[in-house]
Amino acid sequence: MRTGDRHSLVVVCGLDFDTTRRTAATLLAPTTVVVEYDLSALALGHIRRVVRTVDADGLPSVRYTDVALEHGCVSCALRLDLLPLLPLLPLLRSMRTWSGVERIVLALHPMIEPEPLSWAITNTMVVGVPGRVDAPAGRDVRLDAVIACLDMRRWLSDATGDQTLSEAGISEIDDERTLAQVVVGHVEFADALVLTGVADTAQESQAWESRGWEMARTCAVLRRVAPLAPVLYERADRTLTAGRIAQLLAAIPDGSRRGRVFGAHDPLLSGQPPLDDDCGVQIVEFSADRPFHPERLHTAIDSLLDGVVCARGRLWVATRPDEALWLESAGEALRIADGGDWLAAMTPAERDEVAAVDPERVAMASLRWDPVHGDRHTALVAVAHRADPAHIQDELRAACLTDAEYAAGPALWNTWSDPFGHEHVDPCVDSQQERDGTAPATHEPTTRKDAP
């Protein structure tokens, strides 16, 4: 609930908006307000804010507000409307409908991703709110939980494909993000999971048994993508209730993300996911203390797009001595972007600034500091469900410099062509689809990698 002067914020997301709404609706109470954005009128140039409240007598109230699209951008319109709204709640406590509000529940449309929105709440300055100093919305709200809702019957298929949101009918506008990018992002950022699509009838039980292996593999993937997240199953005989959702929220353990956005130099295996093989699902780890050859890496990354649910990591490329590259994939979509400078490429003053805000990074770098190359290295993790982990490791290892190339040093490395731009997809494309939300420097626009 409330901590000091900050209100609790719970974000509910998922591909099935009906399940997202049902989950959010269970939390509606006199001290809780539920906010959602209806995107069905995008073609008319606006979205609709829907605010649901209930008074102490149980009388519900719904307020609708149309919000114009800013230069046709859904995420911009949502942020410009939502971020000033969050700090307003404490100022409206004297109004009967809003009196006593302690928690805000935000039900996200499937095309809105929680991670960039969370970053915006923490970092985007909200100005011009009467009676409030200019500051991010995070000054007034604290993101306590992200609940991801997913359908067990289709999640793994969505998470490993290449269908775009537009092709799937999720977005009415041209949106080149893939279902895989969105549904994997929901789970990766989640603190708790609500799973639907389990057997409710005898006929469904038989179908469930016939899909038992697929369901077991889906569970194995979820345990590796969101290892700390408690799970709640929705069934006909166990519907979603306020009590069950409250128990789910209470089961979120210490160390969960709760809105934290990870950077390129943060630990890659948070939450201690299982490292063993389960139903053919396994975490693949790769590390190297010598750089990649850029052209060979360009070829090797294809091994991360076949039989891999998701991958992420920081890369040391020989032609990029100062900056790490950040790799992120989901299904058949992959991007490589700027991950920020290595500590070894910074001035002492810059390193001191990093140490002040991220002492863990500096401490970890000191444990592996090389006299010549400093903290430069490659670290990558992938969740494979059909791929051979040994094949992935062999492909990446072969892309690293040979002994002769490594010994030649930058004099040779700087002569090589570099296929990676500021942000790269393979094969290269001219247009880039902006992510649905504002993202930090290490999380830049997402683009699709089409199969060759």
Side-chain angles (χ1 to χ4, degrees), residues 18-264:
D18 288 338
T19 304
T20 298
R21 284 169 163 162
R22 285 200 309 276
T23 302
T26 64
L27 295 171
L28 184 61
T31 58
T32 300
V33 57
V34 176
V35 181
E36 69 178 67
Y37 285 84
D38 181 356
L39 307 187
S40 60
L42 279 179
L44 301 179
H46 68 268
I47 60 179
R48 173 167 290 184
R49 183 213 305 156
V50 183
V51 178
R52 303 182 190 277
T53 58
V54 62
D55 65 18
D57 298 322
L59 181 66
S61 173
V62 184
R63 299 181 179 184
Y64 300 95
T65 304
D66 288 339
V67 180
L69 288 183
E70 292 294 327
H71 48 266
C73 178
V74 176
S75 59
C76 291
L78 187 148
R79 288 196 308 275
L80 287 174
D81 183 73
L82 175 66
L83 297 185
L85 175 68
L86 297 176
L88 277 176
L89 291 176
L91 305 179
L92 297 173
R93 290 174 59 81
S94 61
M95 297 176 59
R96 181 173 184 271
T97 304
W98 297 85
S99 179
V101 169
E102 297 181 355
R103 179 162 61 188
I104 308 161
V105 178
L106 178 60
L108 293 185
H109 186 276
M111 66 183 291
I112 306 299
E113 298 179 66
E115 182 176 5
L117 181 60
S118 174
W119 186 89
I121 289 171
T122 302
N123 295 279
T124 300
M125 191 68 67
V126 177
V127 300
V129 177
R132 177 184 183 272
V133 299
D134 294 344
R139 175 182 179 271
D140 301 278
V141 297
R142 179 193 66 256
L143 207 169
D144 282 335
V146 174
I147 303 175
C149 306
L150 56 104
D151 188 334
M152 290 286 288
R153 294 165 296 190
R154 60 173 293 180
W155 185 85
L156 187 57
S157 175
D158 289 338
T160 54
D162 66 350
Q163 191 177 33
T164 68
L165 295 185
S166 298
E167 292 168 348
I170 301 297
S171 174
E172 296 182 7
I173 60 177
D174 186 21
D175 194 329
E176 286 301 306
R177 287 175 301 154
T178 65
L179 284 178
Q181 289 172 309
V182 172
V183 301
V184 169
H186 287 160
V187 174
E188 282 184 327
F189 203 64
D191 301 301
L193 303 177
V194 172
L195 307 185
T196 66
V198 298
D200 289 328
T201 65
Q203 182 178 2
E204 289 177 348
S205 295
Q206 293 177 355
W208 177 275
E209 291 175 1
S210 68
R211 299 195 306 269
W213 181 250
E214 178 185 354
M215 297 301 175
R217 291 174 57 245
T218 300
C219 289
V221 171
L222 295 177
R223 283 193 294 269
R224 285 153 179 79
V225 177
L228 293 179
V231 176
L232 177 66
Y233 290 90
E234 182 190 30
R235 298 169 52 118
D237 60 344
R238 299 200 69 191
T239 58
L240 300 179
T241 64
R244 295 188 74 201
I245 297 298
Q247 290 176 344
L248 180 69
L249 292 174
I252 297 174
D254 294 338
S256 297
R257 295 186 69 160
R258 299 186 190 272
R260 179 185 174 190
V261 177
F262 293 144

Side-chain angles (χ1 to χ4, degrees), residues 334-357:
L334 178 147
R335 73 185 183 101
I336 295 179
D338 181 4
D341 286 349
W342 298 109
L343 293 176
M346 299 180 184
T347 65
E350 290 171 334
R351 284 197 292 271
D352 289 342
E353 291 179 2
V354 173
V357 298

Side-chain angles (χ1 to χ4, degrees), residues 383-395:
V383 178
H385 75 113
R386 295 190 187 277
D388 178 6
H391 172 70
I392 294 174
Q393 292 171 335
D394 290 345
E395 290 291 301

